[in-house]
Structure formats: structure tokens, C-alpha cells
């Protein structure tokens, strides 16, 4: 075994052990290390490979190109990002965005024919706002400040400088737009409204009104208005009486029950799930991914400073949002997932800083938190889903009123993921209602990108033959099942659906005749 000195200008090289995307980043500096020359037999699918290898710190390194090409993968070097790509390059279309995923409508969607003699007469819809800008200045602000400190101290890499420029570009886009609907978000909602009007045009007559409601947050009235614009365009010359409104802050038990639910807020902050989540998030895998993600951006010395807790970077409200490598990496992931919502505003390529496995990891963290805090949660509690009970009561009573009065074509409500997720759980929608105590099992039972992407919506379409009523449910414009039996899927007898949910509401203490004020008090005192 021979010892020799090699000048090497990369942070790390890793022997390839599996097929995928492998990033090797340059640090922008050169240092001399001692390595051991060692002949290593590398055999791929029975064929011995040629190529110089060496050992450093007990790890054997072999050329990425030799292994990659032997596996039939294209191998490429990106000078700008100082990256080696084996196989498909990382980009911003690979997903792993959880509930921040853009609206997933499939143009090939088709619908089952209604039972003979039945026609649509009323629609009840609860939707999430469309794709949006960052909710506030926090992830971008704190990460930009961290990179600025590193640059000032001469401890940033070339790749770190590239990221700093990209965040500056994002911050320029976000100026005066934080919390608002993005261009693509408006298009998503307009499309939903247009398709609804096209599919159910006969419901909308001049003797029936349309009610459109939103929360006090700007992006939901914007979503409501874009939906209505698409609906009106699809109806052509038809004139529809549209009553638009928004709930006042702190007085909305239906679309923002989480603002009012006392016990739920205690659970969200200090519930049993918090410790479970923290234990999962702080396992060694998370620490490793954070270091892998950040080391190409900073010098070793700066990473050590970050890891030692030297920095306490705050958002626009003064709350610390970046104080360690885990938070810095998580903030970068947040920029990645929101960039898919901003395609019309600018070409942002935050995905190039991640490997696929890193993206999977950070998506899992977001999904586990959403699952326990807002969704089916632990087997020991139904509290997160029960806060949606007043809204379910409203869906039932407003549908009944439409049957009785026959003066309303549709009621369209626009809210947030914090509404859609517990509502899906309370409605016992398949895939949205299974409680799990092991965070490792969440992904097997719950898919946030499917349940509550941007623009997510749940629709109840009521049908009548003149005497009886049936209803079908759509999620994101796809037919899905109610949790009861039917011989005419996806159409269910309205009385059966109503009975199922009335029974569930009775068990949690919701009076079908309760008022808005009653429901506010219920949330404040019981939920």
C-alpha cells in the first residue's frame, strides 16, 4: 500500500452503491490530503471495471463515471453547481412537496352516468385556496441572512453564492405578495369553477342563487373570486345571482375552526404527538441530510458555527426561525416546495440543491406533522378531526335547505389546508381517516399531496328524480366513496349519507339546529 499526497478541490466523494441521483459538490477551495492507493476490484453485473481508486479516512473512493456508465446511466458534470449527476438530473418537477403540491387535475377524468331519471340539482363545495406565494417573510429572510453572514465572513462557497442570488430573486418576487394567491393559483381556481359550470350548467338558473364564502385571509377571497369568474365564463349568457362574503376574523367556526378551538390548540402545541414527531425528526438520518445539504454551501468552519447555535435568525414578526443546521435545511426545503407555486412569476430552481432521498425525507417531516396535528392523528384522540364537525353540520343543513326551498344552485366555500385535512378525516374518506401511532407508518396510510394539495376541494353533487335524492362526492374533481354501502356507486341515497353523519355529529355533541354563535361556543368550550 502506497501513501501519496493528492490535491483535491471537492468536499467529498462517495462510492456509488445504488442507482439514483448522486451529487458531488465543489467547495471552491483546494486542500491537500493524504490518501492510500489501494487496488479495488469493482465488478458491475459480472464485469470488472477499470479506474483508479483510493482510500481516505477509511472510505474507499472509486470514479463516479466508471460506475455510472457501467450501470447504463448518463454521467454529467455541472460546472455551475459543481455537481456530478448520474442518471436523471434533479429538477423542480420531481415532486415531494406534500400539501404544497400544485393542484393535480387530470384532463382525462370522466364521470359515471347518474341513475335513470336523476339530474343534478345542487352542489356543496369546500375548497382550499389555490397555489400561493410564501405566507410570510421567514424561510427566505432567515436563510438569506445566514448566507449573507457567511459571505461577509468569507465562509461561503460558490454554490452558496448561487443560492443567495436565487433567494434574492425569490424575495424580489415575494415583495408585496406574501400570503397572496399566485398566478397559477388563480388559474387553478378559475379552472375548477369553469369545469364545474360546464359539467353542471343546468343547475344554474335565473331563479336560483349562488353563495360563495371565504375566510378573512386574502388568498381565500381571491380564490373565491377566481372560481366565480371561471364559473360565470362557463355559463355564457346565463345570469346568476351570486352572493359573495367573507367571515370576520375570530368569528368563523366553519372554515377556520382551529382559531377558536381551545383544547385543539393546546393539543397542537403540546399534545402527545409532539414528542413523537420530535423523536422522528431528530434521528441521525435528519442530521446527516442536513449536513449533506448545507456543507456544499458553507465552509466547514461556518457549518460548525451554525451547529454550535451561534445564530438566532428571526422572521418578520421577531420569531426565531433559523438557529441550527436542521432548521436551515428545512427552510431551504420550504423554498423548494413553494417554488412550484410560482412558475409564472419566475424560474426558481431550488430542487437542484437536493437529492431525491433528501426531498423524500423533508416531505416525510411535513407530512407527519400535518397528519398528527391536523389529520387522523393518534389512535388515542379524534380532536383534530372533530373541529370540522360544525362544518359538516353546515354541509348537511344547507343541503337540506336546498331540497326544501329549491332556491340555491350551489354553496362554495374557500378555506385552507387546516380545514380540508380535518374535514376529510371527519368525513371518513378512504385514505384520510386511519390513525397511526408510529410515525414511520404514516406514509403507508396518508398522502398529503392527494388529500390537500393547493386548490383541493370536496364536492357533494345532489341529484333528484323529482321525488328522491341521491348524492355523489368528488375530491379534486374525482369520484370517491362515502363510508357507507350503495348499489349504485358513486351515487348514494341522500338519506343514508345524512343519517351516517348526523349520527357521528350527535356523538361529538353537535346539535343539528345550532347557530353560528352556538358553534363558536362549542369550539371554545369542548373542542
Amino acid at each position: 500500500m502506497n501513501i501519496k499526497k493528492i490535491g483535491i478541490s471537492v468536499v467529498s466523494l462517495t462510492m456509488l452503491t445504488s442507482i439514483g441521483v448522486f451529487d458531488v459538490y465543489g467547495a471552491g477551495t483546494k486542500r491537500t490530503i493524504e490518501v492510500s492507493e489501494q487496488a479495488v476490484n469493482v465488478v458491475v453485473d459480472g464485469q470488472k471495471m477499470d479506474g483508479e481508486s483510493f482510500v481516505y479516512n477509511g472510505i474507499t473512493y472509486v470514479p463516479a463515471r466508471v460506475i455510472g456508465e457501467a450501470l447504463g446511466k448518463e454521467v454529467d458534470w455541472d460546472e455551475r453547481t459543481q455537481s456530478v449527476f448520474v442518471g436523471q438530473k434533479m429538477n423542480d418537477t420531481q415532486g415531494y412537496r406534500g400539501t404544497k403540491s400544485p393542484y393535480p387535475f387530470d384532463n382525462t377524468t370522466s364521470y359515471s352516468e347518474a341513475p335513470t331519471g336523476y339530474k343534478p340539482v345542487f352542489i356543496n363545495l369546500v375548497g382550499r385556496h389555490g397555489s400561493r406565494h410564501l405566507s410570510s417573510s421567514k424561510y427566505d429572510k432567515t436563510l438569506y441572512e445566514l448566507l449573507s453572514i457567511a459571505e461577509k465572513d468569507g465562509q461561503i462557497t460558490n454554490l452558496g453564492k448561487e443560492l443567495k442570488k436565487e433567494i434574492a430573486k425569490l424575495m424580489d418576487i415575494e415583495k408585496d405578495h406574501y400570503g397572496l394567491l399566485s398566478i397559477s393559483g388563480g388559474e387553478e381556481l378559475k379552472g375548477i369553477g369553469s369545469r364545474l359550470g360546464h359539467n353542471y350548467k343546468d343547475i344554474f338558473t335565473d331563479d336560483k342563487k349562488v353563495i360563495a364564502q371565504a375566510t378573512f385571509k386574502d388568498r381565500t377571497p381571491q380564490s373565491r373570486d377566481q372560481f366565480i369568474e371561471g364559473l360565470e365564463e362557463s355559463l355564457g349568457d346565463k345570469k346568476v345571482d351570486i352572493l359573495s362574503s367573507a367571515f370576520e376574523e375570530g368569528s368563523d367556526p366553519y372554515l377556520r375552526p382551529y382559531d377558536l378551538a381551545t383544547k385543539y390548540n393546546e393539543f397542537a402545541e403540546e399534545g402527545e404527538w409532539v414528542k413523537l414527531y420530535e423523536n422522528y425528526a431528530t434521528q441521525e438520518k435528519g442530521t446527516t441530510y442536513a449536513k449533506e445539504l448545507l456543507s456544499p454551501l458553507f465552509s466547514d468552519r461556518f457549518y460548525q458555527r451554525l451547529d454550535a447555535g451561534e445564530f438566532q435568525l428571526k422572521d418578520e414578526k421577531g420569531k426565531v426561525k433559523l438557529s441550527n443546521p436542521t432548521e436551515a435545511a428545512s427552510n431551504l426545503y420550504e423554498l423548494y416546495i413553494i417554488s412550484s407555486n410560482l412558475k409564472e412569476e419566475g424560474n426558481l430552481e431550488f430542487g437542484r440543491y437536493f437529492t431525491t432521498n433528501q426531498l423524500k425525507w423533508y416531505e416525510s417531516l411535513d407530512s407527519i406533522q400535518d397528519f398528527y396535528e391536523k389529520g387522523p392523528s393518534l389512535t388515542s384522540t379524534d380532536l383534530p378531526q372533530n373541529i370540522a364537525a360544525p362544518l359538516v353540520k353546515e354541509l348537511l343543513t344547507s343541503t337540506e335547505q336546498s331540497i326544501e326551498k329549491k332556491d340555491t344552485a350551489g354553496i362554495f366555500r374557500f378555506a385552507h389546508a387546516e380545514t380540508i385535512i380535518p374535514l376529510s378525516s371527519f368525513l371518513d374518506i378512504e385514505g384520510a381517516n386511519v390513525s397511526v401511532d408510529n410515525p414511520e407508518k404514516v406514509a403507508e396510510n396518508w398522502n398529503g399531496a392527494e388529500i390537500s394539495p393547493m386548490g383541493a376541494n370536496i364536492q357533494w353533487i345532489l341529484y333528484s328524480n323529482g321525488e328522491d335524492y341521491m348524492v355523489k362526492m368528488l375530491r379534486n374533481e374525482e369520484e370517491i366513496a362515502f363510508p357507507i354501502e350503495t348499489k349504485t356507486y358513486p351515487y348514494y341515497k341522500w338519506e343514508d349519507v345524512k343519517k351516517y353523519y348526523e349520527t357521528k355529529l350527535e356523538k361529538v355533541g353537535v346539535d343539528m339546529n345550532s347557530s353560528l354563535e352556538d358553534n363558536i361556543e362549542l369550539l371554545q368550550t369542548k373542542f
Side-chain angles (χ1 to χ4, degrees):
M1 183 179 293
N2 299 319
I3 304 293
K4 69 176 182 179
K5 292 188 176 181
I6 293 178
I8 188 166
S9 59
V10 296
V11 175
S12 65
L13 298 172
T14 305
M15 182 176 177
L16 304 185
T17 56
S18 60
I19 298 174
V21 179
F22 297 83
D23 295 342
V24 182
Y25 297 95
T29 61
K30 183 175 181 178
R31 60 194 176 98
T32 300
I33 62 174
E34 288 190 352
V35 301
S36 302
E37 287 186 305
Q38 178 176 329
V40 176
N41 291 323
V42 179
V43 181
V44 178
D45 291 336
Q47 182 178 355
K48 185 176 179 180
M49 299 292 103
D50 295 324
E52 184 180 2
S53 59
F54 64 86
V55 175
Y56 177 62
N57 281 350
I59 299 175
T60 301
Y61 296 86
V62 297
R65 183 173 299 279
V66 171
I67 304 299
E69 291 180 349
L71 293 170
K73 298 292 182 179
E74 182 178 344
V75 181
D76 193 21
W77 167 255
D78 188 331
E79 179 68 28
R80 185 165 69 96
T81 63
Q82 296 284 285
S83 303
V84 172
F85 291 96
V86 180
Q88 182 181 356
K89 289 187 177 182
M90 177 55 63
N91 57 58
D92 285 304
T93 65
Q94 291 199 12
Y96 308 113
R97 297 184 177 89
T99 60
K100 303 297 192 306
S101 300
Y103 189 62
F105 178 71
D106 183 353
N107 287 321
T108 64
T109 297
S110 60
Y111 298 107
S112 306
E113 187 174 343
T116 303
Y118 281 84
K119 296 181 179 180
V121 294
F122 174 73
I123 302 173
N124 230 328
L125 178 150
V126 180
R128 183 187 183 187
H129 58 75
S131 290
R132 59 164 173 80
H133 291 265
L134 287 167
S135 59
S136 62
S137 176
K138 49 186 175 184
Y139 307 123
D140 53 343
K141 175 181 181 294
T142 54
L143 197 51
Y144 184 84
E145 289 175 358
L146 185 70
L147 290 160
S148 297
I149 295 169
E151 185 172 35
K152 176 178 175 293
D153 294 349
Q155 297 178 337
I156 194 173
T157 66
N158 289 335
L159 190 65
K161 292 176 182 177
E162 288 284 334
L163 175 59
K164 181 170 175 281
K165 290 178 182 177
E166 196 150 18
I167 296 176
K169 179 181 176 181
L170 171 62
M171 294 174 76
D172 187 54
I173 291 171
E174 294 301 271
K175 186 178 180 182
D176 299 325
H177 291 93
Y178 287 104
L180 301 181
L181 205 63
S182 67
I183 294 172
S184 59
E187 293 172 349
E188 290 165 354
L189 268 295
K190 187 175 180 180
I192 296 169
S194 177
R195 290 187 292 272
L196 184 145
H198 175 78
N199 292 334
Y200 306 105
K201 186 171 292 187
D202 292 343
I203 291 180
F204 300 93
T205 56
D206 57 12
D207 62 337
K208 288 186 176 182
K209 64 180 179 292
V210 166
I211 298 173
Q213 301 174 334
T215 74
F216 73 91
K217 286 286 188 181
D218 288 341
R219 54 186 172 273
T220 61
Q222 288 178 323
S223 297
R224 174 200 65 198
D225 295 345
Q226 288 292 321
F227 173 91
I228 292 299
E229 182 177 336
L231 174 64
E232 289 181 319
E233 287 184 4
S234 70
L235 296 178
D237 295 334
K238 280 192 172 186
K239 301 299 180 183
V240 181
D241 182 19
I242 298 174
L243 307 177
S244 294
S245 63
F247 286 94
E248 294 183 4
E249 182 175 3
S251 300
D252 183 357
Y254 307 126
L255 302 185
R256 290 183 64 96
Y258 45 91
D259 289 339
L260 301 165
T262 305
K263 293 181 181 178
Y264 167 73
N265 279 289
E266 292 174 356
F267 172 82
E269 292 291 330
E270 303 174 353
E272 181 184 349
W273 73 274
V274 175
K275 188 65 175 176
L276 278 176
Y277 173 78
E278 289 176 349
N279 288 341
Y280 179 88
T282 55
Q283 61 182 283
E284 185 177 351
K285 182 189 294 186
T287 303
T288 299
Y289 282 147
K291 188 169 186 178
E292 288 178 357
L293 189 57
L294 298 177
S295 290
L297 307 175
F298 307 107
S299 69
D300 290 343
R301 172 61 187 138
F302 192 83
Y303 184 89
Q304 292 168 4
R305 293 168 64 191
L306 176 62
D307 196 32
E310 180 176 332
F311 310 109
Q312 300 288 313
L313 304 179
K314 301 177 181 179
D315 64 13
E316 61 181 3
K317 298 178 181 178
K319 185 175 181 179
V320 174
K321 285 292 180 181
L322 199 166
S323 62
N324 56 56
T326 297
E327 290 173 350
S330 178
N331 287 6
L332 182 53
Y333 174 71
E334 293 293 337
L335 301 189
Y336 162 74
I337 57 178
I338 206 64
S339 65
S340 65
N341 289 202
L342 303 172
K343 291 299 186 182
E344 300 301 319
E345 284 80 358
N347 183 29
L348 300 165
E349 300 181 34
F350 293 111
R352 64 191 177 99
Y353 300 97
F354 294 85
T355 66
T356 300
N357 285 337
Q358 289 166 354
L359 287 176
K360 288 180 179 178
W361 167 255
Y362 290 107
E363 183 190 40
S364 77
L365 295 182
D366 270 14
S367 294
I368 290 169
Q369 181 171 1
D370 286 336
F371 175 88
Y372 285 117
E373 183 179 348
K374 308 178 184 76
S377 200
L378 301 166
T379 57
S380 59
T381 182
D382 288 328
L383 189 56
Q385 63 170 289
N386 284 348
I387 66 171
L391 174 57
V392 175
K393 183 267 299 183
E394 279 298 290
L395 289 172
L396 294 176
T397 57
S398 59
T399 301
E400 276 294 294
Q401 288 172 1
S402 78
I403 293 173
E404 178 184 345
K405 298 182 179 180
K406 297 179 172 59
D407 63 350
T408 305
I411 301 178
F412 309 116
R413 305 169 176 88
F414 300 92
H416 308 269
E418 293 86 350
T419 314
I420 293 293
I421 293 173
L423 174 62
S424 300
S425 186
F426 193 92
L427 291 177
D428 286 326
I429 293 174
E430 185 177 1
N433 66 331
V434 177
S435 297
V436 175
D437 292 334
N438 182 357
E440 300 278 357
K441 301 294 184 181
V442 168
E444 299 175 13
N445 295 276
W446 196 83
N447 183 348
E450 181 180 275
I451 293 166
S452 186
M454 296 296 186
N457 55 88
I458 295 171
Q459 302 180 33
W460 287 2
I461 317 296
L462 189 70
Y463 289 74
S464 177
N465 62 0
E467 295 182 4
D468 299 318
Y469 291 87
M470 303 192 79
V471 62
K472 75 172 179 178
M473 179 160 54
L474 307 181
R475 180 178 65 192
N476 304 333
E477 301 175 79
E478 299 276 355
E479 294 172 344
I480 61 171
F482 283 99
I484 57 176
E485 293 184 358
T486 182
K487 295 180 179 180
T488 54
Y489 178 84
Y491 298 90
Y492 295 75
K493 293 180 181 179
W494 167 245
E495 288 300 321
D496 291 346
V497 171
K498 184 176 69 167
K499 181 179 179 180
Y500 178 87
Y501 290 124
E502 282 182 343
T503 300
K504 192 167 184 178
L505 289 169
E506 183 179 1
K507 289 180 179 178
V508 299
V510 176
D511 185 344
M512 293 300 297
N513 296 313
S514 57
S515 64
L516 180 144
E517 291 75 19
D518 293 333
N519 293 149
I520 290 176
E521 182 179 359
L522 178 70
L523 288 164
Q524 292 174 333
T525 58
K526 184 170 182 177
F527 298 147

